[in-house]
């Protein structure tokens, strides 16, 4: 394996002109208001959300004394600092932890375990766009198997555009034919269609409309014998507004069954038979890169013949949330990973690796910095 490159600067939100600053100053307040409007929380929860709204814009990070998450992941050392001065990944993670605390998600009582983002996730499944995507499965089934797999792989990739957090900030319709800025799809498709008896690990990103194509891809790979078992890594609790949990996965499978999609019944059976296994790990909600993963999670990834990381947040954690030169080889920044790993990601943040100098120059010349964060570009990258 190649040696990992020297660390680049960590992404932060202290520059008012930066994308991370806009997330902290605009997207997070908008999300708090959206949560308040979606669920009839009582005065105590609403007051706590109002305080969080004020603190994120004008105050400092103030972790509660009785929440050991901050100690487990060494986040309490950021107490007393402005949200905008923190590493971006840390600021986002701490914000979502504070939001869940504000609505009583972790506390004994009537709001314990109630996902504040579930109304948005369920609404995603009932949109005309979601219905149209399922309708397209009929014609797809008539195509040759290699064409089906290619379509499902790209459907999983571009499904990331359904990310609810991203849509809070940008409602602009995105073209579906945007080119990939890095494309290892041929090598990945070859690896996906290898011999039977293997294990696939898919680290999910968002629930709702995005999780459906992820599940359809997994169903295809299991049904046609490319893998005997699939591990689906999910968040142990709500995180980053639309991130998928076990409850979201069951909602998605039920939705497929209700829509009379054959994949729904097959996925239901695969869950019962242990061919599709759900995984959660506390590290999935940690403000840290995967390079810092604990030994048991590393062993889980090492047991898989291929791990597919979905979405922007997983990409940031996979390569490190740093301002790498865009031409930094993907294989170098993921050299620590214990098994072959692929990234399916639409670009919604500044971090990027694995581009050719010509690609970076063309994108920057024609689009400025916008191509990194607009969600109109994507990568399929593989490190074997």
């Amino acid at each position: 394996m190649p040696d990992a490159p020297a660390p680049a600067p960590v992404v932060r939100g202290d520059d008012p002109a930066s994308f991370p600053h806009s997330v902290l100053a605009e997207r997070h307040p908008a999300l708090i208001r959206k949560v308040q409007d979606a669920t009839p929380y009582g005065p105590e929860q609403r007051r706590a959300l109002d305080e969080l709204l004020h603190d994120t814009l004008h105050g400092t990070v103030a972790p509660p004394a009785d929440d050991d998450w901050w100690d487990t992941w060494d986040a309490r050392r950021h107490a007393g600092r402005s949200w905008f001065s923190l590493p971006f990944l840390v600021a986002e993670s701490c914000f979502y932890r504070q939001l869940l605390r504000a609505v009583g998600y972790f506390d004994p009582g009537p709001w314990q375990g109630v996902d504040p983002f579930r109304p948005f996730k369920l609404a995603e499944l009932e949109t005309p766009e979601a219905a149209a995507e399922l309708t397209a499965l009929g014609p797809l089934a008539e195509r040759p198997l290699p064409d089906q797999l290619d379509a499902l792989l790209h459907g999983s990739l571009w499904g990331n555009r359904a990310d609810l957090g991203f849509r809070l900030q940008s409602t602009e319709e995105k073209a579906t034919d945007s080119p990939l800025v890095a494309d290892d799809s041929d090598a990945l498709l070859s690896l996906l269609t290898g011999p039977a008896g293997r294990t696939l690990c898919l680290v999910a990103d968002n629930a709702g409309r995005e999780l459906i194509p992820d599940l359809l891809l997994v169903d295809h790979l299991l049904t046609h014998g490319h893998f005997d078992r699939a591990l689906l890594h999910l968040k142990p609790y709500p995180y980053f507004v639309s991130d998928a949990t076990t409850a979201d996965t069951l909602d998605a499978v039920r939705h497929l069954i209700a829509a009379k999609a054959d994949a729904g019944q097959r996925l239901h059976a695969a869950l019962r038979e242990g061919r599709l296994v759900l995984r959660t790990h506390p590290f999935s909600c940690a403000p840290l890169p995967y390079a810092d993963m604990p030994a048991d999670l590393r062993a889980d990834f090492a047991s898989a013949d291929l791990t597919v990381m979905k979405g922007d947040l997983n990409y940031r954690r996979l390569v490190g949330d740093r301002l790498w030169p865009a031409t930094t080889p993907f294989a170098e920044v993921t050299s620590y990973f214990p098994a072959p790993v692929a990234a399916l990601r639409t670009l919604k943040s500044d971090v990027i690796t694995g581009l050719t100098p010509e690609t970076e120059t063309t994108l920057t010349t024609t689009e400025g910095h916008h191509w990194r964060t607009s969600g109109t570009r994507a990568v399929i990258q593989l490190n074997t």
Side-chain angles (χ1 to χ4, degrees), residues 28 52 55-56 59-83 86-102 106-107 237 239-240 282-283 285-288:
H28 286 180
L52 178 59
D55 286 346
T56 55
T60 59
V61 179
D66 60 345
D67 188 346
D68 61 5
W69 177 88
W70 298 82
D71 301 302
T72 300
W73 307 119
D74 195 28
R76 199 176 293 278
R77 61 191 174 92
H78 299 292
R81 296 175 58 185
S82 164
W83 292 87
L86 269 58
F88 185 37
L89 179 60
V90 173
E92 288 189 290
S93 297
C94 292
F95 168 79
Y96 282 103
R97 185 72 183 189
Q98 292 290 64
L99 192 153
L100 291 178
R101 291 281 304 197
F106 299 108
D107 300 328
Y237 52 80
Y239 186 64
F240 276 55
F283 186 79
C285 297
L288 298 169

Side-chain angles (χ1 to χ4, degrees), residues 16-347:
S18 69
F19 174 76
H21 190 280
S22 71
V23 170
L24 300 176
E26 300 169 23
R27 186 187 299 181
H28 286 180
L31 176 60
I32 291 174
R33 298 185 184 100
K34 194 174 177 70
V35 166
Q36 288 178 318
D37 291 341
T39 302
Y41 288 113
E44 180 181 351
Q45 290 76 31
R46 300 185 73 81
R47 183 165 50 250
L49 287 170
D50 287 338
E51 290 175 358
L52 178 59
L53 175 60
H54 178 272
D55 286 346
T56 55
L57 293 175
H58 309 291
T60 59
V61 179
D66 60 345
D67 188 346
D68 61 5
W69 177 88
W70 298 82
D71 301 302
T72 300
W73 307 119
D74 195 28
R76 199 176 293 278
R77 61 191 174 92
H78 299 292
R81 296 175 58 185
S82 164
W83 292 87
F84 296 96
S85 70
L86 269 58
F88 185 37
L89 179 60
V90 173
E92 288 189 290
S93 297
C94 292
F95 168 79
Y96 282 103
R97 185 72 183 189
Q98 292 290 64
L99 192 153
L100 291 178
R101 291 281 304 197
V103 299
Y105 182 88
F106 299 108
D107 300 328
W111 295 108
Q112 186 176 38
V114 175
D115 183 350
F117 313 128
R118 193 157 187 252
F120 320 140
K121 297 172 180 177
L122 292 177
E124 278 285 321
L125 294 176
E126 302 302 330
T127 60
E129 293 82 1
E133 289 162 0
L134 292 183
T135 300
L137 291 177
L140 180 62
E142 304 300 319
R143 294 167 60 181
L145 289 179
D147 290 353
Q148 291 183 37
L149 179 56
D150 183 72
L152 291 170
L153 177 66
H154 285 82
S156 179
L157 168 67
W158 291 112
N160 187 244
R161 287 177 173 158
D163 177 353
L164 301 169
F166 180 72
R167 289 172 58 186
L168 287 171
Q169 214 175 23
S170 173
T171 57
E172 177 183 338
E173 194 67 28
K174 306 297 188 302
T176 57
D177 60 349
S178 297
L180 302 179
V181 299
D183 185 4
D184 293 336
S185 57
D186 288 344
L188 179 56
L189 285 166
S190 178
L191 196 56
L192 288 172
T193 53
R198 300 178 302 153
T199 295
L200 171 73
C201 178
L202 191 147
V203 183
D205 190 38
N206 297 314
R209 276 179 62 201
E210 181 183 347
L211 189 57
I212 294 291
D214 292 345
L215 290 172
L216 294 175
L217 175 62
V218 169
D219 169 66
H220 180 94
L221 294 170
L222 290 175
T223 298
H224 296 286
H226 299 306
F227 292 88
D228 284 0
R229 190 172 71 134
L231 311 177
L232 183 62
H233 277 251
L234 303 159
K235 299 298 189 298
Y237 52 80
Y239 186 64
F240 276 55
V241 62
S242 53
D243 283 14
T245 65
T246 297
D248 300 323
T249 303
L250 297 180
D251 285 337
V253 173
R254 293 188 190 107
H255 179 77
L256 287 169
I257 293 173
K260 302 189 184 306
D262 293 341
Q265 292 291 355
R266 290 196 297 263
L267 288 163
H268 191 276
L271 285 165
R272 293 185 61 177
E273 296 163 5
R275 291 182 293 115
L276 174 56
V277 180
L278 306 185
R279 290 273 207 268
T280 60
H281 194 285
F283 186 79
S284 297
C285 297
L288 298 169
Y290 280 108
D292 295 338
M293 73 179 96
D296 60 336
L297 182 58
R298 174 178 289 272
D300 206 32
F301 288 140
S303 72
D305 295 276
L306 172 67
T307 293
V308 176
M309 293 277 184
K310 270 301 307 292
D312 196 76
L313 175 59
N314 279 324
Y315 188 89
R316 290 164 56 194
R317 297 185 72 196
L318 178 64
V319 305
D321 203 31
R322 294 177 177 272
L323 297 174
W324 300 109
T327 55
T328 304
F330 177 75
E332 288 188 10
V333 292
T334 59
S335 61
Y336 68 88
F337 208 80
V341 61
L344 302 183
R345 177 230 184 177
T346 51
L347 276 59

Side-chain angles (χ1 to χ4, degrees), residues 343-362:
L344 302 183
R345 177 230 184 177
T346 51
L347 276 59
K348 302 178 185 176
S349 62
D350 293 304
V351 179
I352 184 67
T353 66
L355 270 58
T356 65
E358 295 77 14
T359 297
E360 182 190 16
T361 299
T362 299

